Amino acid sequence: MVKQGQHAWIIRLCQAVACCVLLAAASLSHANDALGGNWREVRPGDDPAKVLAEAWTTPLPAFDPARMQAFPHAGTGTWVILRPLPPWTGGERVLSILNPGAGKVSLYLAPDRLWTTSLDDFGPPLHGHGRLMFAIPPDVPASRPLLLKFEPTDQVAGAVTMSLDTWPDYLRDDASWLVFATACFAIMLTMALMALCFTLILRDMTFGWYAAYLCCYALIQGLRTGYVFHPLEFQALAGMSDSLGTAATALSVSFAALFMLRFCKVDDYVPLLRTPVLAFAIGMPVIAICQATGIALLVGTAHLLLQPLLLIGALLLLMAGGIAAMRGSRHAWFFLVGWTPLLLLTAACGAQLQGMFASAPWLPDAAIAMGAFEAIVLSIGLSDRALTIRHDRDQARKLADADPLTGVLNRRAWTDAALSVLDEGMGRPVALLFLDLDHFKALNDRHGHAAGDRALVAVAGALRHELRPSDLLGRYGGEEFVALLQGAEREHVIQIATRLCRRVSRLDVHVGDNEPLTVSIGVAIRTPADTVQSLIERADQAMYAAKLGGRNRVICSGPAGPTLVRTKAAPKR
């Protein structure tokens, strides 16, 4: 169970960042000319003049263009009449429609002055970013009503807000949104690229599923806002917003489920939910496939099932992550902090299409910002996972290289390290010490193997204390140790070996009643012709000469093999 407050700092940090994100999104709005609005559905035989005349004589449903409003997009379309309210601003102005969805909108200035555009329209010379824009010529009176027609479409419709601005105000607002959206998309794609690099480096598909999810979410928001069309100018995607958006939505939650399974360790902490989450992850691509077929029945089925499955799947992932977090999965907390706010914002944006939260037109932009926020939070979690993986691998490697009893290098690891040292060339002198404990078998026979193990641990500790951190100390086998010394001349090496003999003999370890444990050491100085094996053989021969010479002493061997130097350690106590 996770202790209360263990991840409080993460939650507080993410809450603070979320507040900043929402405030930044809200600050994108600005004051503009006041507008009043009316609307009605298009009827057969309608023409612009008739609709404008009817607006003066017949009460039509009213709405506030500054508040989110969803118009019927099926059937024949919707007429919208915008009335500029005094005080009027003359000159050239810009009419903006935010969050228009994938459908087309037409502006009627006169029977022969018609302008039709959409987010994926590449015809007009000027385009809005994240909105539809119509330039109102200066010859149009400031008090004149503006007539819009939302064309019928079977694609995704939006809950729109409308504003009438001067060109400087429009350009300032457009530039602010462009900087904001570019920063958010850049964060998402940068985090996705980082995750992809970790996938290749660590060979861990957790990072790969996360990268795929981020790319899909960025594509969803890019299509919804029109960012992929303007400013990115991906003209090849024009007309594909609906099908591509549905497929990206289905795949994004599928990748999110696969990511969450591994990232939160659902198998370990919530095994009962593994199968439902996996089934959801596999089932969602089927929706994308049905959408891509173009068969009316399958496309209709995909549209019918998409929203319910998204709701069920989101709640399932939230529940699995929550249970895993409560049961001790540290990374599940990162998932919850990043996923939950985005889920709530997505639900709020969906509710806006049904007429709720009309006074919060900043919610769609906040969804982009929250995508960037989630990317940052989960990337921090993935970085923590990468560090954990590296730490675990380092620990495993350390355990594989260490002798389990004494903690020094084992024979294999020591040999590999010694080979690396000798491969560096003759730039520095190298000496090898071969150490063998005297009468160790007698110690085991008299006091037992447990006492022998304690003696080995004590000797290894004493050797580590006397040698430098750069010296390679290893257990060669049984009661034998080896040490590779770099940068020490022959006389210095003999002094070190003699000091090791004295240190071991002063340990509180006894072979008999009054006989301390001692060590015999053979020394071999490296020559250009030496290999690790030849150094070991010469040092081993010198060690046996020390044994034959009375033990508890150091003997240095020359390249030809015979004993050249004999140095006796401190007398036995």
Side-chain angles (χ1 to χ4, degrees):
M1 185 69 68
V2 177
K3 295 181 180 179
Q4 186 176 8
Q6 182 177 357
H7 303 289
W9 68 272
I10 299 177
I11 297 175
R12 285 195 296 269
L13 174 63
C14 294
Q15 286 173 341
V17 175
C19 290
C20 293
V21 166
L22 296 180
L23 289 174
S27 68
L28 293 176
S29 60
H30 68 279
N32 46 56
D33 292 352
L35 290 173
N38 300 91
W39 70 275
R40 77 164 174 83
E41 294 187 31
V42 176
R43 302 169 189 159
D46 279 344
D47 62 70
K50 178 181 177 181
V51 174
L52 285 173
E54 181 182 348
W56 290 106
T57 59
T58 305
L60 297 179
F63 73 98
D64 181 358
R67 292 167 57 89
M68 301 292 284
Q69 176 72 31
F71 299 111
H73 61 281
T76 54
T78 304
W79 292 107
V80 173
I81 301 97
L82 298 178
R83 306 176 187 275
L85 303 177
W88 294 294
T89 302
E92 193 172 11
R93 294 157 295 158
V94 180
L95 174 64
S96 301
I97 303 175
L98 279 69
N99 308 304
K104 294 184 176 182
V105 180
S106 300
L107 171 66
Y108 292 84
L109 295 177
D112 59 342
R113 298 176 72 178
L114 170 64
W115 186 359
T116 300
T117 188
S118 63
L119 288 178
D120 58 357
D121 183 11
F122 289 85
L126 296 175
H127 302 281
H129 298 121
R131 71 195 68 198
L132 300 182
M133 58 84 69
F134 297 95
I136 310 299
D139 60 341
V140 176
S143 58
R144 179 177 172 176
L146 303 175
L147 179 62
L148 296 170
K149 182 181 180 182
F150 284 75
E151 304 290 345
T153 178
D154 56 357
Q155 299 191 60
V156 178
V160 301
T161 59
M162 307 177 194
S163 63
L164 191 61
D165 310 290
T166 63
W167 267 107
D169 287 340
Y170 167 77
L171 292 175
R172 182 169 55 252
D173 188 51
D174 184 61
S176 298
W177 186 89
L178 193 58
V179 170
F180 160 77
T182 300
C184 292
F185 285 123
I187 289 172
M188 285 187 269
L189 295 180
T190 300
M191 296 300 105
L193 181 61
M194 182 197 73
L196 184 60
C197 292
F198 275 117
T199 304
L200 300 176
I201 295 171
L202 299 177
R203 300 174 185 251
D204 185 351
M205 272 308 296
T206 306
F207 299 87
W209 297 131
Y210 174 65
Y213 162 71
L214 275 186
C215 290
C216 285
Y217 185 80
L219 178 60
I220 293 168
Q221 293 298 332
L223 291 169
R224 183 190 65 78
T225 61
Y227 192 91
V228 297
F229 306 117
H230 310 288
L232 294 186
E233 299 293 326
F234 287 164
Q235 193 166 353
L237 301 181
M240 301 173 59
S241 296
D242 189 36
S243 58
L244 196 58
T246 300
T249 301
L251 291 176
S252 69
V253 293
S254 177
F255 292 140
L258 293 171
F259 163 71
M260 193 273 294
L261 277 175
R262 298 170 66 100
F263 184 64
C264 300
K265 296 185 178 180
V266 172
D267 287 357
D268 297 334
Y269 293 99
V270 202
L272 291 178
L273 291 182
R274 178 185 182 277
T275 301
V277 173
L278 188 59
F280 172 72
I282 296 174
M284 289 307 294
V286 177
I287 300 294
I289 294 173
C290 291
Q291 177 71 28
T293 60
I295 302 174
L297 178 61
L298 295 180
V299 172
T301 303
H303 275 289
L304 183 65
L305 295 178
L306 181 61
Q307 293 302 325
L309 286 178
L310 285 177
L311 177 61
I312 294 172
L315 294 177
L316 178 63
L317 297 186
L318 196 61
M319 181 172 65
I323 296 175
M326 297 306 296
R327 290 183 176 178
S329 173
R330 185 169 79 166
H331 294 138
W333 288 104
F334 286 98
F335 177 78
L336 291 176
V337 171
W339 175 264
T340 307
L342 186 63
L343 179 63
L344 295 177
L345 265 179
T346 302
C349 291
Q352 279 188 329
L353 298 177
Q354 310 301 322
M356 300 175 63
F357 307 115
S359 60
W362 47 266
L363 278 177
D365 285 341
I368 305 176
M370 195 54 66
F373 169 71
E374 181 195 35
I376 293 173
V377 171
L378 293 184
S379 294
I380 294 173
L382 284 171
S383 298
D384 181 77
R385 175 185 173 89
L387 291 175
T388 301
I389 291 173
R390 181 171 181 175
H391 174 75
D392 292 344
R393 288 182 179 178
D394 289 345
Q395 286 295 105
R397 182 176 299 172
K398 183 177 179 181
L399 291 174
D401 291 347
D403 176 64
L405 176 62
T406 62
V408 300
L409 293 175
N410 58 32
R411 181 170 179 171
R412 177 197 57 78
W414 182 89
T415 302
D416 292 342
L419 285 170
S420 299
V421 171
L422 265 61
D423 287 342
E424 294 176 0
M426 297 293 296
R428 303 174 65 192
V430 174
L432 190 145
L433 278 59
F434 201 103
L435 305 90
D436 188 279
L437 300 182
D438 299 326
H439 302 298
F440 186 75
K441 184 177 183 302
L443 186 151
N444 276 331
D445 292 341
R446 293 180 184 179
H447 303 290
H449 288 283
D453 289 345
R454 288 193 296 271
L456 290 172
V457 172
V459 169
L463 298 178
R464 267 198 302 256
H465 185 270
E466 290 293 333
L467 294 173
R468 301 168 299 178
S470 60
D471 296 331
L472 297 179
L473 175 63
R475 185 181 177 191
Y476 201 70
E479 69 274 21
E480 298 172 336
F481 293 86
V482 284
L484 195 72
L485 279 59
Q486 304 178 62
E489 299 294 342
R490 180 175 179 275
E491 292 75 11
H492 188 204
V493 171
I494 294 173
Q495 292 175 6
I496 294 172
T498 303
R499 192 168 67 244
L500 293 178
C501 278
R502 292 171 179 169
R503 180 63 183 265
V504 171
S505 66
R506 291 170 182 168
L507 291 174
D508 189 19
V509 180
H510 293 81
V511 176
D513 293 336
N514 295 311
E515 184 180 1
L517 179 67
T518 59
V519 62
S520 298
I521 302 178
V523 178
I525 307 298
R526 181 196 181 185
T527 66
D530 269 321
T531 63
V532 171
Q533 188 59 38
S534 65
L535 271 176
I536 292 175
E537 289 175 357
R538 290 199 292 114
D540 185 41
Q541 291 172 7
M543 181 272 297
Y544 275 109
K547 292 274 190 185
L548 295 175
R551 295 183 172 87
N552 189 29
R553 63 194 62 215
V554 177
I555 289 186
C556 183
S557 173
T563 301
L564 299 178
V565 178
R566 176 175 177 173
T567 304
K568 187 174 180 180
K572 299 179 184 178
R573 292 178 294 176

